[in-house]
Amino acid sequence: MKFSRARKAMTAVLIGGLAVLISAPAWASGSTPTVEDPGDEALPFAIEEFQYPNAEKILKEKGIILRKGDGHIMLVGCDSSTKQIKIMSGAVDYCFTATSSVGYLDLELPGVFGIRSYDHPLQADLIAEGMKKTVTVPKNQLVGAGEGVQQPQTTLVELRVTG
């Protein structure tokens, strides 16, 4: 393909003009642009610690400590029309939703006496009088766990969705 002399000249002028426009700020300041060397200061690594969102607010409002988890077990308002994990504690029920067939939540919920599963089986770690006990809750079951008549106060410390 042949280009005319005029077309070649115009292309050269446009390229030259673009070069002038790009470098004009450097000429105006009297210096050439540089890239700063970060030196010995390396950027920090982003490390996910799996902290439960709004944990401090939930502690103040509901009296439950939610430490950390994998995001697959979330505290929700109790609703009888949906299938939820229900933790019975004193006069208050706490409900959670499982968004996966596996999940983990590290928490501290005192006064637990019952755990109900729905769509997924669960395992719950409970502590009473310094002794830790793991309770298995089959799918769609209610299991008495912890406090009862003449039983010591029991605290739920870990909840796992297992299937």
Side-chain angles (χ1 to χ4, degrees), residues 11-128:
T11 303
V13 168
L14 286 173
I15 292 172
L18 285 173
V20 169
L21 288 174
I22 291 171
S23 61
W27 286 346
S29 67
S31 66
T32 58
T34 60
V35 176
E36 290 186 30
D37 181 16
D40 292 335
E41 294 180 32
L43 294 175
F45 288 102
I47 298 174
E48 175 60 61
E49 295 181 3
F50 301 100
Q51 299 299 317
Y52 198 92
N54 300 316
E56 289 181 27
K57 181 180 177 186
I58 293 168
L59 174 60
K60 288 178 186 175
E61 291 176 358
K62 300 190 180 284
I64 177 175
I65 298 171
L66 300 172
R67 290 191 179 94
K68 59 185 171 179
D70 63 4
H72 296 295
I73 303 174
M74 301 299 294
L75 180 68
V76 293
C78 291
D79 181 357
S80 62
S81 66
T82 59
K83 296 179 178 181
Q84 299 173 329
I85 299 166
K86 186 178 282 188
I87 310 297
M88 288 145 250
S89 172
V92 180
D93 291 343
Y94 294 93
C95 294
F96 297 85
T97 187
T99 60
S100 177
S101 61
V102 293
Y104 163 79
L105 180 60
D106 181 352
L107 70 161
E108 190 172 321
L109 201 165
V112 172
F113 64 87
I115 301 172
R116 176 155 180 92
S117 68
Y118 279 99
D119 289 337
H120 306 286
L122 307 170
Q123 282 189 334
D125 288 348
L126 302 155
I127 294 180

